[in-house]
Amino acid sequence: QVTLVESGGGLVQPGESLTLSCEAPTDIFTKYTIGWYRQLPGKQRERDPVARVNLLGQVAYGDSANGRFTISRDPVKNTVWMHMNSLQPEDTAAYYCYIYRPTEALWGQGTQVTVSA
């Protein structure tokens, strides 16, 4: 089995920032687009990503990013980062990285972001 290692979540106050990371094996990291998805408290994981980045470094964002988030990939560390600025309570969710591999779903374990005054 392929394991994706996520980290970077935590508890912050409104207006603060976090950076999430997702590390993948080299043979996976170098082949596919990688995205971040969120699951709001008491809800199903959303179908559309918060952000995604392809092998060329081209990025796309969902509406919830609202100009505040930046996704990038680091080929040296085999890691995708999502820097989240100006976090608000409505951003509170579990965030999961996902590998866009056509033959099977490949998800990280999730990392919790909690924004509370």
Side-chain angles (χ1 to χ4, degrees), residues 31-52:
K31 286 185 174 66
Y32 306 105
T33 295
I34 301 177
W36 287 92
Y37 291 73
R38 72 177 184 175
Q39 183 175 3
L40 298 171
K43 304 294 184 180
Q44 298 281 91
R45 186 162 55 205
E46 294 176 341
R47 290 188 175 90
D48 296 324
V50 177
R52 67 177 190 264

Side-chain angles (χ1 to χ4, degrees), residues 6-103:
E6 297 185 27
S7 64
L11 173 63
V12 297
Q13 295 184 336
E16 295 182 342
S17 300
L18 287 170
T19 299
L20 310 184
S21 66
C22 175
E23 184 178 2
T26 301
D27 61 335
I28 296 298
F29 183 86
T30 57
K31 286 185 174 66
Y32 306 105
T33 295
I34 301 177
W36 287 92
Y37 291 73
R38 72 177 184 175
Q39 183 175 3
L40 298 171
K43 304 294 184 180
Q44 298 281 91
R45 186 162 55 205
E46 294 176 341
R47 290 188 175 90
D48 296 324
V50 177
R52 67 177 190 264
V53 57
N54 69 11
L55 294 175
L56 299 177
Q58 297 170 323
V59 302
Y61 297 96
D63 290 342
S64 64
N66 195 30
R68 301 171 298 142
F69 302 165
T70 302
I71 187 171
S72 61
R73 58 196 302 148
D74 184 343
V76 175
K77 297 183 177 181
N78 295 331
T79 298
V80 168
W81 306 90
M82 185 167 69
H83 184 66
M84 310 170 76
N85 286 320
S86 191
L87 286 162
Q88 300 300 315
E90 55 264 37
D91 297 313
T92 295
Y95 288 81
Y96 297 83
C97 65
Y98 174 71
I99 307 297
Y100 286 71
R101 187 164 60 177
T103 56

